[in-house]
Amino acid sequence: MFEKILIANRGEIACRVIKTARRMGIKTVAVYSEADANARHVRLADEAVLIGPAAAKESYLVIDKIIAAAKQTGAQAIHPGYGFLSENEDFCHACDEAGVVFIGPPVAAIQAMGSKSEAKKIMGAAGVPLTPGYHGDDQDPELLKREADGIGYPVLIKAAAGGGGKGMRLVEKAEDFLDLLGSCKREAISSFGDDHVLIEKYITRPRHIEIQVFGDSHGNCVYLFERDCSVQRRHQKVLEEAPAPGMTPERRAAMGQAAVDAAKAVGYVGAGTVEFIANQDGSFYFMEMNTRLQVEHPVTEMITGLDLVEWQLRVASGEPLPLAQEQLQIRGHALEARIYAEDPDKGFLPSTGALLHLSPPAENLHVRVDTGVEEGDEISPHYDPMIAKLIVWDQNRDRALARMLQALAEYRVVGVSNNISFLSRLTACPAFANADLDTGLIEREKAYLFPEAKATPAEVWYVAALAELLREANRGAAKARRDEDPLSPWHARDGWRLNASAKRDLIFRLGEDQKAVNVAYRAGGYTLTVDGKSVEARGELNARGLMRVELDGMRMDATVVAANEKRHVFFHGRAWQLSNVDPLHHSGEGGGAEGGLLAPMPGKVISLIAQAGAAVEKGAPLLILEAMKMEHTIAAPAAGTVKAFRFAVGDQVGDGDELVEFEVSA
Ligand code: ADP
Ligand code: ADP
Ligand code: MG
């Protein structure tokens, strides 16, 4: 076995590999770009080598630098993870030449499977069923069109070198073929440097079912059953599970055998995945083989009780496979959800920024979280926006679904948009719950998955206000502990000093909706009134924002995380983002100097509401400033005209800076 390995990757998969290596007593070397100097994988590894600037093509994709790092640290083998150089023949060659073991299949297997067209030729010859289509060398557009016409529409044009859902075009009718061929080839050239395409019959309502295979250098090859990855957006997996619902032992054996045949046909060694597209009637066709560890490998680990990275390390060091086919068994059911920094409501657009608050569910026998980030880390635009993989296991699918829903409800992320609520709806959606699976599920269930904004429960306002009050009370108590006279009435937590009637308003905004929560202090709690409806509220809040809430005697748990003026309220498995609005400045008292309105405190301009040149009424909101963890609306002090704004959105302003040039009407 190796004594030291280098991991040529970053993020969760680098951390995942380090974890197993550590358990096996193998030392680890991380490589990192300048953007990742403080990344979790660097912190976890025994050693780490800087390999260049943030851009992957100047760091994680530079073969020479990675080989040099391995030589310099004395690493005997390199684990490539997935993505980056994991399926790169040149990298594999470079490892051979440097005398470093590549933890993966032989070069020939990568080469054979690197092109979807070549792979189909080899698989066809090995008797593996193929998706009907054309995968020849002749790339004449007219010939491709004739082939497509012959297959019958709809067809799929695929870049032979494609991956990650890129370089594919669905063609519904003959007239569109040549245009879409052109755009597919352009994307293929820019993404993969190769515009060779193949044409496939587009299977309607298919399932994506893949088989995990494992080979060793002694000629053994087994399959570790299937994963169903039918739930996809933009041809990319979001929710995966094992075993596949509805799979019969006979079909499993047939698909498993086809996958082993596929692996043997290319002399496969190590972990690989044979992807099939399956019809609803159970017939299946070879789609492609991924010659590496797959993102969703944890669901296979959960149902087999095996560590696939350990198997990879054993096989790469020359050991035989630890188990034979008849020793492998499926136990229970596992699901994986990919937690992404992306906005499902904006076409799954990636989101970047600092993870201001990150609180995953606790890990145990049923819940596993594979991640490469911690609170305070950055989701940068340079790499994949995945935050974590959440994996759950239980005795059967229904119980695993319940575990997933619970774990998602406990997952709290603040700082970047994320798909956690979307994943909750996906898991709960009747089609998914009933295992009515196919690759069009997300598209088909749109109405359920992207509901119109539901009315905000009144509790959201109460909980936000209670968090604010408890935070003040905690601070008062902390100050009292520090002070000489802990009995001073100035530290009292009942609000008596705030004003004579011990009543005040806290103001919050949620989208367009702004509400005042009236607070009356009571012994041990508060009476909170919103829209004329009052509740008796009490609770506790810790420094991470975890709350125990009691509203009219009803106990519930919630989290309220404050980040600048934002208040992220989490409870009942949902999340709301409120803004804390300063009651003093929303009616115009903020400015006042002749001719201009001044910043009441240092802060940042977050929105310009009025138009420059517009005539406005007294009290009309002009702009919003974020300062002191609150949002302050700067309003017109009198009827008049907005002559000009002195700052743009995003600008920092100093105390007393003129914000708006304003002319009061005569
Ligand atoms: P990639 O290399 O990007 O993973 P694949 O060939 O594996 O490309 O296809 C990605 C996804 O596209 C599949 O999981 C499936 O959902 C869909 N797909 C691929 N081929 C077909 C087909 N012939 N008919 C219908 N859907 C397909
Ligand atoms: P300061 O900057 O004055 O030290 P912060 O506002 O940063 O205080 O708060 C300190 C801690 O309290 C942070 O961990 C933050 O998450 C938490 N916190 C702040 N405001 C709230 C709130 N309204 N509800 C819950 N937790 C809060
Ligand atoms: Mg694929």
Side-chain angles (χ1 to χ4, degrees):
M1 184 49 66
F2 312 114
E3 276 148 35
K4 192 193 264 192
I5 61 169
L6 180 143
I7 297 114
N9 215 301
R10 63 178 302 284
E12 69 87 17
I13 192 61
C15 298
R16 159 77 193 85
V17 174
I18 291 171
K19 191 172 163 196
T20 291
R22 169 142 311 154
R23 185 174 57 71
M24 295 173 70
I26 300 168
K27 292 218 157 46
T28 54
V29 181
V31 290
Y32 66 98
S33 71
E34 283 161 12
D36 278 339
N38 273 315
R40 182 164 184 261
H41 77 282
V42 175
R43 297 196 292 263
L44 290 182
D46 296 306
E47 286 170 83
V49 182
L50 175 66
I51 50 165
K57 63 177 187 312
E58 295 177 59
S59 49
Y60 295 105
L61 290 173
V62 183
I63 294 174
D64 293 348
K65 290 188 186 174
I66 289 171
I67 300 285
K71 296 302 255 180
Q72 181 195 332
T73 54
Q76 299 148 312
I78 299 183
H79 195 299
Y82 53 73
F84 292 136
L85 297 171
S86 60
E87 294 176 282
N88 185 305
E89 303 164 35
D90 297 339
F91 182 55
C92 212
H93 270 303
C95 289
D96 283 352
E97 270 165 34
V100 179
V101 176
F102 174 79
I103 302 171
V107 180
I110 296 187
Q111 217 158 13
M113 292 299 172
S115 156
K116 292 186 206 283
S117 314
E118 291 309 308
K120 284 183 82 169
K121 286 180 200 161
I122 296 169
M123 291 307 127
V128 178
L130 299 182
T131 319
Y134 171 80
H135 48 266
D137 293 331
D138 193 338
Q139 294 285 297
D140 171 35
E142 288 305 325
L143 171 111
L144 293 173
K145 169 135 195 317
R146 277 198 304 282
E147 289 288 344
D149 292 346
I151 295 163
Y153 295 90
V155 301
L156 204 54
I157 310 175
K158 281 189 192 177
K166 267 195 166 172
M168 289 204 287
R169 292 292 183 280
L170 171 62
V171 189
E172 314 247 21
K173 44 189 195 310
E175 306 87 277
D176 301 340
F177 184 86
L178 290 172
D179 280 351
L180 287 165
L181 176 67
S183 94
C184 184
K185 282 185 174 275
R186 281 191 297 278
E187 183 171 308
I189 273 284
S190 76
S191 304
F192 315 108
D194 175 355
D195 70 355
H196 198 102
V197 299
L198 62 146
I199 318 275
E200 275 181 8
K201 169 114 200 107
Y202 185 72
I203 316 276
T204 44
R205 302 205 53 187
R207 281 167 71 176
H208 172 118
I209 297 181
E210 58 185 34
I211 305 283
Q212 175 72 54
V213 292
F214 236 106
D216 65 18
S217 52
H218 306 272
N220 303 305
C221 188
V222 299
Y223 61 91
L224 282 79
F225 316 112
E226 77 282 1
R227 295 182 284 259
D228 191 314
C229 314
S230 299
V231 183
Q232 305 182 344
R233 49 131 180 66
R234 291 208 232 103
H235 301 300
Q236 264 187 295
K237 303 158 186 169
V238 269
L239 208 51
E240 303 105 345
E241 60 185 301
M247 180 65 93
T248 60
E250 296 73 32
R251 194 177 309 143
R252 174 173 295 130
M255 292 182 84
Q257 193 52 52
V260 166
D261 291 346
K264 285 192 166 157
V266 292
Y268 205 79
V269 176
T273 294
V274 182
E275 295 190 334
F276 293 102
I277 192 137
N279 274 309
Q280 294 291 329
D281 68 8
S283 55
F284 59 88
Y285 306 114
F286 171 83
M287 198 156 44
E288 65 164 343
M289 179 166 186
N290 294 325
T291 53
R292 54 173 160 82
L293 195 65
Q294 198 95 325
V295 179
E296 58 274 18
H297 76 276
V299 292
T300 299
E301 298 188 319
M302 298 296 262
I303 61 158
T304 56
L306 302 171
D307 180 333
L308 298 194
V309 174
E310 176 183 342
W311 277 40
Q312 285 189 298
L313 295 171
R314 291 193 182 286
V315 165
S317 70
E319 293 181 27
L321 289 177
L323 297 174
Q325 190 67 54
E326 52 288 358
Q327 292 172 293
L328 294 164
Q329 269 180 20
I330 298 180
R331 225 184 112 236
H333 201 97
L335 296 167
E336 174 182 283
R338 300 194 192 184
I339 315 280
Y340 278 110
E342 65 180 19
D343 190 343
D345 294 325
K346 293 188 186 141
F348 300 98
L349 193 74
S351 167
T352 58
L355 294 160
L356 300 172
H357 177 97
L358 181 64
S359 143
E363 291 192 274
N364 54 41
L365 269 179
H366 295 276
V367 178
R368 164 172 167 186
V369 180
D370 280 17
T371 187
V373 289
E374 285 167 12
E375 187 167 289
D377 288 351
E378 194 91 19
I379 299 293
S380 87
H382 304 291
Y383 315 109
D384 185 274
M386 189 155 72
I387 299 170
K389 304 187 305 205
L390 173 61
I391 306 110
V392 298
W393 178 91
D394 212 319
Q395 295 294 344
N396 57 48
R397 189 171 190 267
D398 283 347
R399 288 174 65 176
L401 284 174
R403 293 271 177 204
M404 179 58 89
L405 282 174
Q406 184 184 16
L408 286 167
E410 285 171 17
Y411 218 123
R412 267 118 215 229
V413 177
V414 174
V416 289
S417 301
N418 63 76
N419 63 345
I420 295 174
S421 315
F422 173 77
L423 289 168
S424 294
R425 289 195 297 276
L426 194 54
T427 310
C429 125
F432 185 73
N434 297 328
D436 181 10
L437 303 175
D438 67 83
T439 58
L441 187 139
I442 290 179
E443 194 55 31
R444 189 154 30 84
E445 300 296 325
K446 256 191 194 148
Y448 189 97
L449 298 175
F450 300 94
E452 296 296 312
K454 274 193 249 161
T456 308
E459 284 93 335
V460 171
W461 307 98
Y462 297 130
V463 168
L466 184 61
E468 226 53 35
L469 295 164
L470 293 172
R471 188 157 67 106
E472 284 179 10
N474 289 349
R475 281 194 185 149
K479 185 163 188 323
R481 282 194 297 275
R482 284 195 304 274
D483 280 11
E484 284 164 22
D485 175 12
L487 298 179
S488 159
W490 294 100
H491 304 317
R493 301 163 68 171
D494 57 9
W496 70 269
R497 67 197 160 93
L498 290 168
N499 56 41
S501 63
K503 276 194 173 227
R504 61 194 279 214
D505 278 345
L506 294 173
I507 300 174
F508 298 96
R509 190 172 57 74
L510 177 62
E512 307 278 272
D513 209 4
Q514 181 163 311
K515 284 192 198 290
V517 182
N518 182 265
V519 181
Y521 289 78
R522 301 272 175 258
Y526 313 89
T527 302
L528 303 179
T529 308
V530 177
D531 295 336
K533 212 177 152 290
S534 299
V535 295
E536 297 304 314
R538 56 209 283 162
E540 283 163 54
L541 167 77
N542 75 10
R544 301 235 338 118
L546 288 179
M547 284 177 88
R548 171 174 284 227
V549 178
E550 202 181 298
L551 299 178
D552 279 345
M554 283 280 286
R555 262 265 348 255
M556 62 186 101
D557 289 333
T559 299
V560 177
V561 178
N564 298 323
E565 86 289 3
K566 296 280 189 265
R567 298 293 180 271
H568 299 261
V569 177
F570 300 87
F571 81 106
H572 286 181
R574 289 178 63 194
W576 294 266
Q577 190 177 310
L578 280 66
S579 296
N580 187 2
V581 179
D582 179 356
L584 291 180
H585 293 102
H586 80 290
S587 59
E589 288 95 326
E594 294 108 59
L597 287 172
L598 308 185
M601 61 195 83
K604 187 165 108 182
V605 175
I606 58 171
S607 172
L608 301 179
I609 297 173
Q611 300 284 332
V616 296
E617 295 299 309
K618 175 173 195 261
L622 305 180
L623 65 81
I624 297 178
L625 196 65
E626 180 263 290
M628 305 286 286
K629 303 183 192 310
M630 282 201 188
E631 211 177 75
H632 308 267
T633 306
I634 305 299
T641 307
V642 178
K643 305 290 282 185
F645 286 106
R646 293 288 182 223
F647 294 92
V649 170
D651 286 350
Q652 288 292 337
V653 302
D655 191 4
D657 283 354
E658 187 185 86
L659 300 172
V660 187
E661 199 183 320
F662 191 79
E663 190 175 82
V664 179
S665 309

